[in-house]
């Protein structure tokens, strides 16, 4: 009996010990919560994202911290399991008293955290990586309370820019071939919606599964309706196969491509001479000084190039949240932080970039009471009313075997397009 | 802290109901159900579809009352178990385990791909929480839901205790110990096994429904195979064949699971934080192994039951015999 009770008490004591261990650093500290998927199938991606988040925290501390206090980043693993993620979030909010939380990766975990922990507790949640359109829907329904933000562009942003270019090119009847993953499905749906709103038509929506040797059947289905162009959503390997078969079976060479296909692999596999009327969009932040600064810092710290999903977006998620916390003041609650999230990226503000110098400049300017505009490792960006990130879009095309940048749709142009698409009946 | 503890005990209570369900199947009847999460999913989705708000592109969203949702969840899970049982219950032990495991994964994949019914990978959100309008603060509502779960758990515990002590329950144990002997006594083994499977599944469905009612959101990611493993661990660690052990197991395992995360996050230096997840998994495994090394029959083992009048006097010897069997 005593052994049994001793064991139970021991296990419970060990479990609760974790809660008591308060920060032991000198001076004041500010807690910032983090939840990412550090183990399981997405563990490798998640660890790199977690390391990058810690790099951002270290730079913020080196730049002086939030209101002179060190930032204590409490990172928890959701193991890719919603129940574990929600529990960790509840602990961070109720026990560690965080007022802002970075996370998480999977939409299936971020969503229950938002609706059952952060939004009811009025804690600001900023995700680097959840792309599900459900969050936008929740925000429109008023269920997020405005506490939800994400630094990863939604599929809608890419789809609207592509649809706009399709119409500008004078193409009116477009067949859509898309990869059958949640990314492809959402993107294709958004593209169809945008095309209709902007005055074009989609003739066929044909999904294809990954890693097949041939997509003849899918291509033939897409060809079955008269069309003047094709939108291809996929990744280089399968995308090349689809494009080759499409062209060889007599499909239109008026092509719109998603940003993953802006790759040399795709260009060589399909053949440059067939692609002289291929267009696409990308996020415009691919070349800005703040992006290069981040890439240099990353290379210096981890000794490898800054490539991989979520790395750039998590850096911006951490920094923009920290700046908002700084702007909101020493004892700010989640609501105070929420209200500052858009102000630290004000369009007419003083521009500050990434790295220790950039963050220090931004912190000092906020302390001095000036309006600032943080331009991040993903370039300039804004949050719309639903907490979704918007940014300028870049239009490119292929000419004589080269990728050429055609023009940039600035944020005003993008916002105008969003307004038109959102106003149109679904 | 208090708010977290209320949340924690609510989750433990919800898990405990599923663990008691599994205890009925494995602990008392010896059915190796490796598809626990499938029944949680059936219960959860039935509840979500019955009580959820109407949606444009989906079937369901009937906005029915909470209790209808709960009843529906239990019935649907039991019906699922009936179909599963008729098809597979003639299989013994490991074969039954393989089949049930496969069926649970099938259910999860079906949920992932049936957009019209389950919302696919986007899940169903905005499921109403019972009586939420009556409470002004989230904290008060948390206490209410904990009470609701505690009362449900109490009823389930009392009910299952009564059942396993009844003649029907004694037949289950007889089947577990020696199926042929039970059959030779004229018991319809298949029927008893089916009834135990259905009853246990009903409790799992109830647990799934209470979880969805609590979180107000459901997606296929809630029902991955790891959940089956967690519930099994709770039962084995707490004490298979003992309902108090099942509840205690839910408490201890979930405390290890979430406490280890807090421990690792607070003890590790910042640079190592991203490695903390792996360390947490190691810690969970270590604690489970240690517990089972020192308490091989679980924290509370099965009580000896020959007759309620002799419990405690001749019990010791019989207990030992059972240990070797398990």
């Amino acid at each position: 009996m005593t052994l049994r009770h001793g064991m139970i008490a021991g296990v419970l004591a060990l479990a609760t010990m974790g809660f008591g261990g308060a920060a032991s650093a000198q001076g004041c500290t500010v807690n910032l919560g983090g939840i990412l998927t550090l183990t399981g199938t997405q563990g490798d991606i998640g660890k790199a994202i977690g390391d990058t988040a810690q790099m951002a925290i270290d730079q913020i501390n080196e730049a002086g911290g939030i209101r002179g206090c060190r930032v204590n980043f409490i990172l928890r693993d959701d193991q890719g399991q919603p129940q574990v993620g929600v529990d960790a979030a509840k602990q961070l909010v109720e026990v560690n008293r965080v007022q802002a939380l970075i996370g998480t990766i999977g939409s299936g975990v971020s969503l229950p955290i938002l609706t059952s922990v952060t939004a009811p507790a009025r804690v600001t949640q900023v995700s680097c990586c959840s792309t599900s359109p459900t969050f936008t829907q929740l925000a429109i329904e008023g269920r997020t309370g405005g506490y939800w933000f994400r630094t990863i562009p939604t599929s809608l942003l890419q789809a609207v820019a592509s649809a706009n270019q399709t119409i500008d090119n004078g193409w009116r009847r477009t067949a859509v071939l898309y990869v059958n993953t949640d990314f492809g499905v959402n993107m294709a749906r958004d593209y169809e919606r945008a095309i209709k709103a902007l005055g074009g038509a989609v003739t066929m929506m044909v999904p294809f599964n990954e890693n097949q040797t041939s997509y003849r059947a899918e291509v033939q289905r897409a060809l079955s309706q008269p069309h003047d162009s094709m939108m291809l959503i996929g990744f280089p390997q399968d995308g090349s196969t689809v494009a080759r078969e499409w062209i060889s079976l007599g499909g239109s060479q008026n092509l719109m491509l998603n940003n993953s296909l802006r790759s040399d692999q795709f260009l060589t596999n399909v053949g440059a001479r067939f692609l002289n009327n291929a267009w696409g969009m990308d996020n415009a932040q691919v070349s800005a000084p703040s992006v290069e600064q981040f890439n240099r810092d990353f290379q210096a710290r981890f000794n490898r190039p800054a490539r991989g999903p979520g790395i750039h977006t998590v850096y911006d998620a951490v920094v923009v949240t920290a700046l908002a916390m700084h702007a909101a003041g020493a004892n700010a609650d989640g609501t105070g932080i929420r209200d500052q999230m858009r102000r630290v990226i004000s369009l007419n503000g003083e521009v500050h970039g990434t790295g220790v110098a950039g963050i220090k400049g931004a912190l000092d300017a906020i302390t001095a009471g000036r309006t600032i505009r943080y331009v991040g490792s993903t370039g300039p960006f804004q949050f719309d009313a639903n907490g979704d990130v918007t940014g300028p879009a870049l239009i490119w095309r292929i000419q004589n075997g080269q990728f050429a940048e055609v023009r940039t749709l600035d944020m005003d142009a993008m916002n105008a397009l969003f307004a038109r698409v959102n106003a149109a009946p679904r | 802290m208090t708010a977290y503890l209320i949340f924690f005990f609510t989750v433990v209570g919800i898990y405990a109901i599923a663990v008691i369900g599994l205890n009925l199947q494995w602990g008392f009847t010896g059915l190796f159900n490796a598809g626990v999460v499938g029944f949680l999913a059936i219960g959860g989705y039935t509840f979500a579809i019955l009580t959820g708000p109407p949606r444009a592109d989906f079937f369901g969203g009937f906005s029915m009352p909470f209790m209808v949702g709960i009843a529906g969840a239990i019935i649907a899970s039991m019906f699922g178990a009936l179909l599963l049982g008729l098809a597979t219950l003639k299989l013994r032990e490991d074969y039954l385990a393989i089949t049930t495991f496969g069926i649970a994964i099938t259910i999860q994949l079906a949920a992932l791909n049936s957009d019209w019914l389950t919302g696919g990978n986007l899940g169903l959100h905005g499921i109403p929480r019972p009586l939420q309008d009556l409470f002004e603060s989230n904290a008060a509502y948390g206490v209410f839901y904990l009470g609701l779960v505690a009362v449900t758990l109490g009823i389930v515990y009392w009910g299952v205790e009564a059942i396993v002590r009844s003649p029907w329950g004694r037949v289950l144990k007889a089947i577990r110990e020696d199926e042929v002997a039970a059959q030779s006594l004229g018991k319809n083994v298949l029927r008893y096994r089916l009834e135990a499977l259905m009853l246990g599944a009903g409790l799992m469905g109830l647990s799934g429904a209470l979880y969805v009612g609590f979180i107000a959101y459901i997606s296929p990611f809630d029902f991955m195979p790891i959940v089956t493993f967690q519930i099994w661990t709770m039962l084995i660690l707490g004490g298979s064949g003992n309902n108090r052990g099942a509840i205690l197991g839910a408490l201890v395992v979930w405390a290890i699971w979430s406490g280890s995360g807090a421990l690792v996050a607070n003890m590790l230096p910042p640079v190592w934080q991203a490695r903390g997840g792996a360390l947490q998994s190691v810690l969970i495994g270590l604690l489970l192994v240690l517990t089972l090394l020192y308490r091989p029959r679980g924290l509370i083992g099965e009580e000896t039951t020959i007759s309620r009048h002799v419990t405690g006097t001749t019990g010791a010897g019989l207990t030992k015999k059972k240990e070797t069997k398990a």
Side-chain angles (χ1 to χ4, degrees):
Chain A
M1 281 300 254
T2 46
L3 176 64
R4 176 204 304 164
H5 288 152
M7 291 266 319
I8 297 167
V11 166
L12 287 178
L14 190 61
T16 45
M17 225 168 83
F19 305 132
S24 55
Q26 307 108 323
C28 56
T29 55
V30 178
N31 283 348
L32 175 62
I35 299 181
L36 292 168
T37 309
L38 302 173
T39 52
T41 48
Q42 293 198 308
D44 286 337
I45 298 173
K47 273 204 277 289
I49 295 173
D51 282 336
T52 313
Q54 191 59 51
M55 178 176 108
I57 297 285
D58 291 348
Q59 290 188 347
I60 293 160
N61 284 334
E62 208 176 315
I66 294 173
R67 295 271 152 190
C69 296
R70 279 187 66 80
V71 184
N72 178 33
F73 186 53
I74 310 171
L75 178 61
R76 297 288 303 270
D77 181 12
D78 65 33
Q79 304 174 348
Q81 203 191 334
Q83 294 92 334
V84 177
V86 169
D87 182 80
K90 195 80 183 170
Q91 278 182 27
L92 287 170
V93 168
E94 301 291 353
V95 182
N96 302 102
R97 298 270 164 209
V98 301
Q99 298 301 331
L101 192 148
I102 308 296
T104 178
I105 298 180
S107 297
V109 186
S110 293
L111 211 149
I113 290 177
L114 175 69
T115 54
S116 69
V117 183
T118 50
R122 301 197 171 90
V123 166
T124 298
Q125 185 182 349
V126 189
S127 170
C128 61
C129 312
S130 298
T131 52
S132 168
T134 309
F135 293 101
T136 311
Q137 190 59 35
L138 282 171
I140 293 170
E141 289 169 14
R143 289 175 190 273
T144 66
Y147 293 94
W148 165 258
F149 297 89
R150 51 179 155 180
T151 51
I152 188 164
T154 57
S155 49
L156 188 63
L157 181 118
Q158 305 188 25
V160 165
S162 303
N164 181 57
Q165 192 59 42
T166 313
I167 301 294
D168 277 6
N169 287 351
W171 304 338
R172 289 293 179 273
R173 299 182 60 80
T174 312
V176 180
L177 276 150
Y178 61 96
V179 57
N180 193 9
T181 62
D182 60 335
F183 161 76
V185 171
N186 290 330
M187 178 88 151
R189 279 185 195 155
D190 287 340
Y191 180 79
E192 186 186 26
R193 196 180 134 205
I195 278 282
K196 280 184 186 158
L198 298 176
V202 167
T203 56
M204 285 296 273
M205 292 273 280
V206 184
F208 61 87
N209 292 323
E210 291 180 286
N211 298 320
Q212 310 286 312
T213 49
S214 167
Y215 294 104
R216 200 161 272 265
E218 288 86 348
V219 166
Q220 256 155 358
R221 248 187 81 205
L223 283 169
S224 64
Q225 294 288 323
H227 62 276
D228 59 17
S229 53
M230 190 261 276
M231 167 77 179
L232 176 56
I233 301 165
F235 301 102
Q237 195 181 334
D238 299 335
S240 319
T241 316
V242 172
R244 273 207 310 268
E245 286 176 330
W246 169 266
I247 290 165
S248 67
L249 289 171
S252 164
Q253 291 183 19
N254 292 339
L255 298 176
M256 282 304 298
L257 307 170
N258 75 310
N259 61 346
S260 320
L261 298 178
R262 192 188 183 192
S263 83
D264 292 331
Q265 190 192 349
F266 179 78
L267 189 64
T268 359
N269 285 355
V270 179
R273 65 199 174 94
F274 301 111
L275 294 172
N276 278 324
N277 224 0
W279 300 61
M281 72 76 63
D282 210 333
N283 304 317
Q285 49 258 38
V286 279
S287 57
S290 63
V291 181
E292 280 147 30
Q293 175 68 45
F294 168 80
N295 289 347
R296 276 197 303 276
D297 289 348
F298 188 95
Q299 172 85 42
R301 177 158 169 152
F302 301 112
N303 204 19
R304 60 189 175 87
R307 271 201 294 269
I311 286 173
H312 292 80
T313 46
V314 79
Y315 182 89
D316 280 356
V318 172
V319 174
V320 81
T321 308
L323 293 178
M325 289 166 82
H326 185 73
N331 297 311
D333 58 7
T335 310
I337 297 166
R338 175 196 73 181
D339 294 341
Q340 293 295 333
M341 287 291 283
R342 291 181 180 84
R343 292 199 191 140
V344 296
I345 44 174
S346 297
L347 275 176
N348 52 358
E350 187 180 304
V351 173
H352 291 280
T354 56
V356 177
I359 295 170
K360 186 161 175 30
L363 291 171
D364 292 347
I366 292 171
T367 313
R370 297 199 294 274
T371 312
I372 67 149
R373 179 186 190 185
Y374 167 70
V375 174
S377 65
T378 60
F381 61 92
Q382 296 284 293
F383 293 117
D384 71 6
N386 301 323
D388 288 335
V389 75
T390 61
L394 174 84
I395 300 297
W396 51 270
R397 63 176 300 189
I398 301 172
Q399 267 180 321
N400 307 320
Q402 300 287 327
F403 290 99
E405 296 185 2
V406 181
R407 64 180 173 133
T408 305
L409 291 166
D410 63 17
M411 228 124 53
D412 289 341
M414 285 307 296
N415 287 336
L417 285 173
F418 279 127
R420 281 179 65 190
V421 171
N422 285 328
R426 291 204 141 187
Chain B
M1 190 78 196
T2 322
Y4 174 70
L5 286 178
I6 289 166
F7 171 87
F8 173 83
F9 283 113
T10 309
V11 174
V12 166
I14 292 170
Y15 271 122
I17 293 170
V19 181
I20 291 179
L22 181 64
N23 196 21
L24 194 60
Q25 295 174 346
W26 169 251
F28 294 110
T29 322
L31 298 173
F32 202 125
N33 176 4
V36 178
V37 75
F39 297 111
L40 290 173
I42 294 177
Y45 275 110
T46 308
F47 177 82
I49 290 163
L50 287 178
T51 66
R55 269 167 261 258
D57 310 325
F58 296 105
F59 174 79
F62 297 113
S63 302
M64 287 184 183
F66 178 76
M67 289 314 289
V68 177
I70 292 285
I74 296 172
I75 293 166
S77 303
M78 290 178 77
F79 184 70
L82 177 68
L83 294 183
L84 173 75
L86 288 176
T88 64
L89 266 190
K90 288 195 173 141
L91 301 171
R92 299 271 169 96
E93 288 150 13
D94 19 3
Y95 299 103
L96 182 66
I98 294 166
T99 326
T100 47
F101 187 71
I103 283 171
I105 290 182
T106 311
I107 290 172
Q108 200 249 345
L109 286 177
L112 190 59
N113 288 290
S114 311
D115 290 17
W116 59 278
L117 183 65
T118 64
N121 62 38
L122 305 182
L124 297 171
H125 62 83
I127 298 156
R129 304 169 79 186
L131 301 178
Q132 179 144 40
D133 298 343
L134 296 183
F135 295 87
E136 282 178 10
S137 73
N138 285 304
Y141 188 78
V143 176
F144 162 74
Y145 207 92
L146 175 61
L148 180 74
V149 169
V151 169
T152 313
L153 177 61
I155 295 170
V156 166
Y157 172 78
W158 178 82
V160 173
E161 279 290 296
I163 286 174
V164 297
R165 283 170 208 282
S166 71
W168 187 81
R170 286 199 291 276
V171 177
L172 295 189
K173 285 186 207 170
I175 293 171
R176 179 191 69 187
E177 293 302 316
D178 194 332
E179 212 177 301
V180 181
Q183 214 156 9
S184 69
L185 289 171
K187 302 296 176 193
N188 183 343
V189 170
L190 186 63
R191 199 182 133 191
Y192 279 96
R193 278 160 64 106
L194 189 58
E195 285 168 353
L197 185 76
M198 286 175 66
L199 210 51
L203 293 179
M204 291 166 192
L206 170 64
S207 168
L210 284 173
Y211 183 78
V212 173
F214 182 50
I215 299 292
Y217 171 71
I218 186 169
S219 82
F221 306 102
D222 290 323
F223 305 107
M224 288 184 295
I226 179 83
V227 180
T228 298
F229 169 76
Q230 282 164 342
I231 288 172
W232 264 98
T233 314
M234 288 166 181
L235 178 62
I236 301 300
L237 189 133
S240 177
N242 187 317
N243 286 322
R244 275 179 297 130
I247 296 171
L248 182 67
L251 174 69
V252 172
V253 169
W254 197 240
I256 289 176
W257 221 279
S258 66
S260 62
L263 187 73
V264 164
N266 279 321
M267 299 296 157
L268 272 190
V271 204
W272 291 98
Q273 289 255 328
R275 307 288 173 282
L279 198 61
Q280 183 189 355
S281 301
V282 171
L283 201 59
I284 292 171
L286 190 70
L287 284 170
L288 296 180
V289 170
L290 281 180
T291 316
L292 287 179
L293 270 180
Y294 288 101
R295 304 287 308 175
R297 294 176 61 242
L299 294 172
I300 315 176
E302 184 175 355
E303 285 172 42
T304 42
T305 40
I306 1 170
S307 156
R308 79 188 69 152
H309 305 295
V310 287
T311 305
T313 48
T314 55
L318 277 160
T319 313
K320 246 194 188 120
K321 198 176 161 200
K322 214 165 262 163
E323 219 170 288
T324 50
K325 173 105 185 164

